């Protein structure tokens, strides 16, 4: 598969990988088996996205709300994340993947946080694709965090409130420096934003796929890209 210059490839794709639990139930497997299969699909989509010339891919791996799930599922997901980072770090590096984690890092167990920092450091100069993994991520928390940091600068008289622009606000989000997503994909048939990138998705094309995440293939991914290519984006301007 090569990057086809005739196709308008989105620069940034964000994905809500939904439906692991329902897929597992359908197969009479544990929820954790569903997440495990989901992590394998995530791995394949990273490689496909890189080959297609997509520059940024953002995956919702664990939301702020997911901490409230059954403790066994939470610890299983954390273990899975740990294994994923450990086993894929070198391979990511070889493929030119730059890893960046967005979310409330301070809530992550120390072992995972250390690992995240190691992989970020290892891959920080890679240029093929930036993989943003949203872990312990919630968009409202991200926005509040930005407001607090801006508030501190105003209090310390380092910033005049009248000079707060959209650009300055964006510079204080976890996603600072990353362009907004062109395309959002959510699998499993649900049609919700689930506290994901609420600021960043203002003009993003939304695409809902009627398949559980573990059944999502690279071919499905490419189909979503073709649908995206056939849409006309106007960013609020007239036709
Ligand atoms: C939604 O399925 C998915 C998640 C809660 C997290 C997504 C996690 C993975 C794909 C695995 C870990 C990822 C990596 C990259 C290591 P759900 O449990 O909400 O499914 P349901 O709605 O059918 O119950």
């Amino acid at each position: 598969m090569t990057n086809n210059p005739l196709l308008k490839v989105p620069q940034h794709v964000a994905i809500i990988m939904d439906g692991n639990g329902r897929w597992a139930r359908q197969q009479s497997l544990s929820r954790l088996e569903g997440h495990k299969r989901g992590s394998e699909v995530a791995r394949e989509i990273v490689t496909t996205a890189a080959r297609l010339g997509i520059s940024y891919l953002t995956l919702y791996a664990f939301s702020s709300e997911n901490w409230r799930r059954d403790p066994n599922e939470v610890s299983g997901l954390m273990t899975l994340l740990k294994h994923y980072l450990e086993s894929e770090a070198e391979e990511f590096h070889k493929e030119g993947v730059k890893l960046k984690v967005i979310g409330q890092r301070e809530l992550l167990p120390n072992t995972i946080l250390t690992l995240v920092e190691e992989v970020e450091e290892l891959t920080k100069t890679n240029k093929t694709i930036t993989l943003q993994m949203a872990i312990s991520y919630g968009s409202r928390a991200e926005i509040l965090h930005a407001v607090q940091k801006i508030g501190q600068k105003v209090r310390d008289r380092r910033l005049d409130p009248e000079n707060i622009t959209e650009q300055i606000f964006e510079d204080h989000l976890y996603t600072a420096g990353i362009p907004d997503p062109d395309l959002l994909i959510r699998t499993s048939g649900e049609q919700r934003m689930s506290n994901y990138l609420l600021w960043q998705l203002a003009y993003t094309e939304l695409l809902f796929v009627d398949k559980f995440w573990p059944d999502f293939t690279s071919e499905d991914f490419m189909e979503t890209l073709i649908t995206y290519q056939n849409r006309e984006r106007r960013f609020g301007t007239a036709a």
Side-chain angles (χ1 to χ4, degrees):
M1 201 187 323
T2 53
N3 186 9
N4 183 343
L6 295 174
L7 298 180
K8 183 184 62 175
V9 175
Q11 187 186 21
H12 183 176
V13 179
I15 308 185
I16 303 179
M17 310 180 287
D18 193 17
N20 295 344
R22 278 164 287 166
W23 177 87
R25 192 170 347 116
Q26 215 179 44
Q27 317 280 323
S28 308
L29 296 169
S30 68
R31 291 182 62 81
L32 221 47
E33 289 291 335
H35 294 313
K36 187 157 178 289
R37 175 69 197 130
S39 70
E40 289 160 12
V41 172
R43 183 64 192 90
E44 184 187 321
I45 296 299
V46 174
T47 300
T48 303
R51 287 190 184 156
L52 288 170
I54 291 166
S55 303
Y56 303 91
L57 179 69
T58 303
L59 300 179
Y60 209 176
F62 192 88
S63 73
S64 319
E65 290 72 32
N66 287 156
W67 290 115
R68 292 201 290 268
R69 290 197 175 183
D70 181 288
N72 287 327
E73 185 174 349
V74 172
S75 72
L77 268 166
M78 286 297 139
T79 307
L80 191 59
L81 268 168
K82 185 164 173 283
H83 288 162
Y84 186 83
L85 290 170
E86 278 167 349
S87 64
E88 301 305 331
E90 281 304 326
E91 212 40 50
F92 276 160
H93 192 39
K94 272 195 224 148
E95 287 180 30
V97 178
K98 173 178 176 174
L99 179 87
K100 187 178 170 226
V101 166
I102 53 170
Q104 290 177 288
R105 290 169 180 245
E106 62 280 9
L107 299 182
L108 293 173
N110 267 333
T111 47
I112 304 235
L113 186 57
T114 309
L115 198 53
V116 162
E117 287 169 353
E118 279 170 16
V119 184
E120 283 179 335
E121 180 62 26
L122 174 73
T123 62
K124 70 179 180 195
T125 56
N126 288 344
K127 300 263 182 294
T128 307
I129 188 169
T130 297
L131 170 62
Q132 284 196 117
M133 294 228 323
I135 305 178
S136 187
Y137 176 86
S139 191
R140 289 184 174 183
E142 178 186 35
I143 289 170
L144 275 181
H145 181 249
V147 170
Q148 284 164 357
K149 288 205 295 181
I150 291 172
Q152 284 159 7
K153 289 187 182 169
V154 169
R155 183 196 58 201
D156 299 343
R157 300 190 184 284
R158 286 186 287 137
L159 185 60
D160 186 336
E162 272 140 44
N163 292 337
I164 301 171
T165 58
E166 288 190 10
Q167 185 59 55
I168 289 193
F169 188 76
E170 283 169 11
D171 292 344
H172 291 80
L173 293 171
Y174 299 139
T175 53
I178 306 279
D180 290 342
D182 302 292
L183 171 66
L184 169 85
I185 302 167
R186 181 173 189 146
T187 56
S188 93
E190 303 290 346
Q191 303 195 357
R192 282 189 297 277
M193 304 316 302
S194 299
N195 202 13
Y196 192 43
L197 305 171
L198 299 178
W199 171 280
Q200 297 88 337
L201 294 176
Y203 290 105
T204 302
E205 292 292 327
L206 310 180
L207 230 150
F208 301 99
V209 178
D210 224 354
K211 264 189 172 187
F212 296 137
W213 176 252
D215 286 329
F216 191 72
T217 62
S218 284
E219 287 68 37
D220 294 324
F221 185 49
M222 284 187 273
E223 259 179 51
T224 65
L225 300 184
I226 290 166
T227 307
Y228 165 82
Q229 283 159 358
N230 291 326
R231 288 193 187 174
E232 190 192 349
R233 300 181 76 197
R234 289 201 294 275
F235 298 94
T237 62

